């Protein structure tokens, strides 16, 4: 059963592909009963300053975070960084490379969409992204706005997903570089939503092994919309590799009700939470 959780360590704002501005994400989280919130936008920390101000106004704790896309073999993994110093040089350098990779990919996606007959795809996606880090969701929104498809899901299924006509690989930093940057910025690296990559059990085990070997510390055991099978699969890997356990809704949009802020199952009590060693000021069991 999903319940109100006082801690939510994974969500998105308009700084990347979320629907709400950082301050509105914080306000919604506070309204849902969250007391400790990490805002974790894709490959950027640009939303954290206004999220922090809003958190202060709503009396909740903001954990500085982000979600890095990284290359592992021919696959992309998502690594959430928690309690990072957003100003750390190593992190800034990696984020500059990630944004350049996103820009380069956007141009190549746009070229493919133009060939598929879509008008002004780059301009459209940029408009959707505003000041945020451009991503596939912005192209998907443009495709919906133009009437090319009738939902974001359909945009991914028909155009943007791997194997589809407007998919292009992105030159993300490697798993090792991503984890190292999060650690150098003083943060903890969390393997995000382990069952959402579409991996076989064997491939997921190998990904967890590589993540652990790279210095990754935690795995998301509770993720928005996941069922008991997802929790079990992540718990198995947490136990196997001695990883700490994290919880996060991966909230993007109030319309996607299955992963609303703070609507999370409880963490199995046998696991050690990622916040175990956090100071009292941001420790979910102390502040709540
Ligand atoms: P990007 O980081 O730009 O490659 O985009 C990845 C993001 O696209 C994910 O974080 C999700 O927000 C979104 N996404 C991926 N697959 C789908 C899908 N099938 N339907 C809707 N959104 C999706
Ligand atoms: Mn996203
Ligand atoms: Mn993700
Ligand atoms: Mn996410």
């Amino acid at each position: 059963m999903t319940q109100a959780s006082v801690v939510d360590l994974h969500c998105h704002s308009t700084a990347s592909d979320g629907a709400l501005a950082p301050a509105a994400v914080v306000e919604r989280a506070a309204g849902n009963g969250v007391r400790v919130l990490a805002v974790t936008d894709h490959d950027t920390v640009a939303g954290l300053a206004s999220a922090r101000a809003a958190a202060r106004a709503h009396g909740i704790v903001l954990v500085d975070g982000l979600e890095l896309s990284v290359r592992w073999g021919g696959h992309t993994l998502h690594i959430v960084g928690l309690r990072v110093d957003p100003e750390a040089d190593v992190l800034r350098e990696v984020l500059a490379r990630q944004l350049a990779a996103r820009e380069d990919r956007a141009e190549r996606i746009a070229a493919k969409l133009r060939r598929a007959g879509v008008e002004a795809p780059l301009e459209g996606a940029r408009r959707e992204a505003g000041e945020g880090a451009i991503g596939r969701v912005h192209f998907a929104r443009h495709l919906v706005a133009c009437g090319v498809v009738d939902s974001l899901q359909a945009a991914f299924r028909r155009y943007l997903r791997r194997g589809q006509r407007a998919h292009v690989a992105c030159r993300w930093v490697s798993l090792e570089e991503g984890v190292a940057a999060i650690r150098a910025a003083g943060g903890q690296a969390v393997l995000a939503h382990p069952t959402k990559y579409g991996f076989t059990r064997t491939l997921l085990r190998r990904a967890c092994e590589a993540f652990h070997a790279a210095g990754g510390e935690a795995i998301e055991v509770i993720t928005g919309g996941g069922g008991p099978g997802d929790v079990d699969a992540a718990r198995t890997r947490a136990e196997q590799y001695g990883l700490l356990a994290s919880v996060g809704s991966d909230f993007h949009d109030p319309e996607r009700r299955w992963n609303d802020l703070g609507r999370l199952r409880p963490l199995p009590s046998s696991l050690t939470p990622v916040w175990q060693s956090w100071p009292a000021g941001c420790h979910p069991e102390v502040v709540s």
Side-chain angles (χ1 to χ4, degrees):
M1 268 273 294
T2 52
Q3 317 177 336
S5 169
V6 295
V7 49
D8 189 334
L9 302 175
H10 183 163
C11 68
H12 298 274
S13 77
T14 49
S16 65
D17 60 8
L20 303 182
V25 172
V26 170
E27 183 178 356
R28 186 178 180 90
N32 283 3
V34 173
R35 304 297 319 281
V36 178
L37 176 74
V39 172
T40 56
D41 276 302
H42 295 288
D43 303 303
T44 180
V45 292
L48 297 181
S50 66
R52 174 165 305 289
R56 212 172 286 127
H58 290 280
I60 74 172
V61 176
L62 181 81
V63 171
D64 285 324
L66 81 172
E67 182 177 17
L68 281 182
S69 313
V70 303
R71 186 165 39 77
W72 174 62
H75 306 280
T76 298
L77 299 177
H78 284 182
I79 310 296
V80 164
L82 297 176
R83 302 186 69 230
V84 294
D85 170 6
E87 306 291 332
D89 285 343
V90 194
L91 187 60
R92 285 163 70 129
E93 189 260 327
V94 157
L95 294 182
R97 285 165 59 198
Q98 296 284 90
L99 286 194
R102 283 188 174 274
E103 284 295 326
D104 171 67
R105 179 184 63 166
E107 286 175 19
R108 292 182 292 136
I109 292 175
K112 287 195 169 184
L113 286 174
R114 253 180 249 116
R115 280 201 287 282
V118 177
E119 269 181 51
L122 191 55
E123 296 75 357
R126 280 202 201 289
R127 191 160 47 239
E128 297 291 345
E131 307 224 303
I134 197 163
R136 285 185 290 166
V137 169
H138 305 116
F139 283 98
R141 288 194 201 137
H142 176 63
L143 291 171
V144 174
C146 293
V148 175
V149 290
D150 58 15
S151 68
L152 295 182
Q153 300 288 349
F156 274 88
R157 197 172 57 241
R158 288 181 44 201
Y159 290 92
L160 297 165
R161 202 155 86 171
R162 196 167 168 173
Q164 299 308 308
R165 68 188 117 163
H167 181 268
V168 294
C170 196
R171 298 174 186 121
W172 306 123
V173 298
S174 69
L175 170 62
E176 290 75 16
E177 289 170 309
V179 170
I182 288 168
R183 291 175 59 118
Q188 288 165 295
V190 184
L191 180 65
H193 44 58
T195 55
K196 302 243 176 92
Y197 302 108
F199 290 174
T200 60
R201 277 169 59 97
T202 307
L203 194 57
L204 180 57
R205 185 184 52 69
R206 287 185 43 227
C208 292
E209 190 178 315
F211 171 72
H212 181 243
E217 277 177 85
I219 184 168
E220 243 173 35
V221 174
I222 307 297
T223 175
D230 300 287
V231 178
D232 265 359
R235 184 172 50 75
T236 302
R237 299 309 162 204
E239 286 165 353
Q240 180 173 16
Y241 296 105
L243 296 166
L244 301 173
S246 191
V247 306
S249 61
D250 204 7
F251 170 82
H252 281 74
D253 185 333
E255 308 228 317
R256 284 161 63 173
R257 307 210 74 92
W258 61 91
N259 61 354
D260 202 351
L261 290 154
R263 296 286 181 263
L264 292 162
R265 293 162 188 275
L267 198 56
S269 56
S270 59
L271 297 174
T272 306
V274 68
W275 55 82
Q276 178 189 242
S277 60
W278 291 5
C282 60
H283 196 296
E285 285 147 39
V286 179
V287 303
S288 59

